[in-house]
Amino acid sequence: MAEIKVPFHRAAITKAEEDAVLDVLRSGWLTTGKYALEFEKKFSAALTCPDDQEKGRDPIISLAVNSNTSGMILAMEACGVKAGNAVITTPYTFVSTAACARHLGADVYFADIEKDSYSIDPNKIEEILKKDAQNGHKVQAIVPVHIAGNVCNMKAILELAKKYSTPDHKIYVIEDAAHSFPSKTSLGFAGAIGDVGVFSFYVTKTITTAEGGMVCTRNPDLAKRMTVMRMHGMDRTTWDRYTSPRASWEYDIIAPGYKFNLPDLLAALGCCQVDRANLFFEQRKKIVEKYNKAFSKLDFIQLPPDGEGNAWHLYLMRIIPEKLTISREEFAKKMQAAGLGISVHFIPIFHFTYWKELYPDFTAENYPQAEDHYQRTISIPLYPDMTEDAAQLVIDTVTQIGMENRK
């Protein structure tokens, strides 16, 4: 295996994070407590727009969880996703987006992505909703995914949810915002636009807690349900049980909940990282600009889509196969052999055995845009502390491989 000269990602960790973690270790309280509460407050503040009050928006309630996946399960469960109904999402996402619905017993309807972006296509969503309305309103939620930090057409998606809801059946919008912090559009921050937004703080994300996530909503009823379900269906939080005068064992179980809380040991990282989220964005943006300037001169590379509020979590470089004698797979292997850490986002879900067996019509032929994007995309290194020299090495390597294998 080649020596890694430029890693795919490296978390931006400073002495502030080290000190925060040590503070937790020395405090004697390692699980969910004051740091998790502080992280929730900071994250809500980071998503709050100056015109929220003017536009009559309710305050954002943030709940720290141990992963985006856990948050998606909480969000779907609170929005009534269960056996007998369904969610709509994209095949171009990490498998957990769809798997969460299956954990709750629901079906998944997939809508292809747009031709010129990685975002779910509202026209395809409406095709599904029209059929669903004729068959008794099985769709409970639409789950758009903001791939690479590029925000979906939320205005159209919200309008569709409202159009196809009935007095007896509300269709919720749950944003998979794993990639999007701190994306901001004219509608507000991605992840705080729909009914619920779910973020990820996995180690490669725009901010990190190593593992972790956040569920955000402006709906107090949804927040109340998710709070209870986050911790065993208990009517009291762990922090309250052990810090209030009331005995810790005086609690009730009011639902069959989960164990999805974020411990302070990880939340301490988040408290530091959220303060630097905008700085991280600016650092990534400089690398993106360098990439775009160089790759725009190459006729075998197509630049990533760039929409309003793009967080630039990932740089999805797209090759143009018609200009090359090698495939995406071969191009990617040559990059790895040259010492570059790369990935592919994403393998469409219809390529996986479980989903192929579950839905026989769920094939590449029926989702041509997702398949086409997959066959052309390579995710290249992009992280806040990336040096100019490292970015130049990526550019030089891509250029050399392409030029040596042009038609």
Side-chain angles (χ1 to χ4, degrees), residues 89-94 110-113 346-350 362 367 370:
T89 195
T90 168
Y92 205 94
T93 181
F94 187 60
F110 293 95
D112 205 357
I113 61 176
F346 286 99
I347 303 170
I349 296 174
F350 48 71
F362 189 32
Y367 298 87

Side-chain angles (χ1 to χ4, degrees), residues 103-124:
H103 286 313
L104 295 167
D107 279 318
V108 184
Y109 300 153
F110 293 95
D112 205 357
I113 61 176
E114 297 171 320
K115 182 178 180 180
D116 298 321
S117 83
Y118 295 86
S119 297
I120 192 169
D121 187 341
N123 294 319
K124 297 298 182 181

Side-chain angles (χ1 to χ4, degrees), residues 369-383:
Q369 299 306 329
E371 179 65 10
D372 177 67
H373 282 62
Y374 166 57
Q375 294 295 345
R376 298 192 293 119
T377 298
I378 303 172
S379 300
I380 63 176
L382 177 64
Y383 49 92

Side-chain angles (χ1 to χ4, degrees), residues 293-324:
K293 183 178 180 180
F295 294 151
S296 64
K297 301 172 184 176
L298 305 177
D299 67 352
F300 52 85
I301 296 294
Q302 183 179 3
L303 301 184
D306 183 14
E308 181 190 16
N310 193 347
W312 286 111
H313 163 50
L314 299 171
Y315 191 94
L316 304 183
M317 185 186 79
R318 296 178 287 181
I319 66 167
I320 301 174
E322 296 79 12
K323 299 286 186 179
L324 296 166

Side-chain angles (χ1 to χ4, degrees), residues 131-184:
K131 292 180 182 177
D132 184 65
Q134 296 168 359
N135 296 325
H137 296 288
K138 190 175 177 181
V139 172
Q140 188 71 16
I142 302 169
V143 187
V145 184
H146 305 308
I147 301 294
N150 217 3
V151 185
C152 297
N153 186 346
M154 290 301 297
K155 185 173 185 295
I157 292 169
L158 292 171
E159 288 173 352
L160 287 172
K162 183 178 180 180
K163 178 179 177 180
Y164 286 91
S165 290
T166 70
D168 300 322
H169 182 80
K170 173 179 170 60
I171 297 174
Y172 291 87
V173 176
I174 302 170
E175 297 172 74
D176 187 335
H179 293 185
S180 69
F181 186 67
S183 298
K184 185 179 183 300

